[in-house]
Amino acid sequence: MSVELYIAGLWLVINMIAFALMGSDKRRAVRNKRRISERRLWLFAWLFGAVGAWAGMVQWRHKTKHASFRIGLPLLSVIQCGLLIVLYWSLLR
């Protein structure tokens, strides 16, 4: 398996987990259950899952009143996508 395909697969899995965590936390909030910590949500966002976390935030309208999520996730997504593009181009050399 090529390195590019491995990185893309890993990125996809991390983003799917971040997306699912946002949905799960929203369901738990509605049902007054034990919540997923913001620290854990940010951990997956920082582990290159920002796009998935942002998509989950928009999909379930969750954490949209928190400026750190509303501004931070899109900004982190752009930074991470830029880093992935640079990594991809550096692997092609």
Side-chain angles (χ1 to χ4, degrees), residues 4 7 11 22 33-34 48 50 62 64 84 87-88 90:
E4 295 91 356
I7 291 171
W11 181 81
M22 286 298 251
K33 301 280 183 176
R34 188 164 185 249
F48 281 84
H62 188 52
T64 57
L84 286 171
L87 179 64
Y88 176 76
S90 67

Side-chain angles (χ1 to χ4, degrees), residues 1 11 16 18 23 32 38 40 46 49-50 56 62 65 70 72-73 80-82 86 92:
M1 179 179 346
W11 181 81
M16 288 170 56
N32 283 331
E38 287 187 5
R40 178 159 297 169
W46 278 101
H62 188 52
K65 292 184 180 179
R70 193 177 65 246
L73 286 178
Q80 288 178 357
C81 286
V86 167
L92 287 178

Side-chain angles (χ1 to χ4, degrees), residues 18-82:
F19 182 82
L21 282 174
M22 286 298 251
S24 177
D25 190 46
K26 176 64 176 194
R27 279 190 302 281
R28 291 174 184 202
V30 169
R31 296 176 180 163
N32 283 331
K33 301 280 183 176
R34 188 164 185 249
R35 304 281 303 277
I36 297 171
S37 69
E38 287 187 5
R39 184 179 184 182
R40 178 159 297 169
L41 295 173
W42 276 112
L43 173 66
F44 277 90
W46 278 101
L47 293 173
F48 281 84
V51 172
W54 183 22
M57 182 183 75
V58 171
Q59 175 72 31
W60 289 293
R61 296 186 192 121
H62 188 52
K63 301 286 186 190
T64 57
K65 292 184 180 179
H66 296 255
S68 63
F69 283 91
R70 193 177 65 246
I71 296 167
L73 286 178
L75 182 62
L76 188 57
S77 295
V78 169
I79 292 168
Q80 288 178 357
C81 286

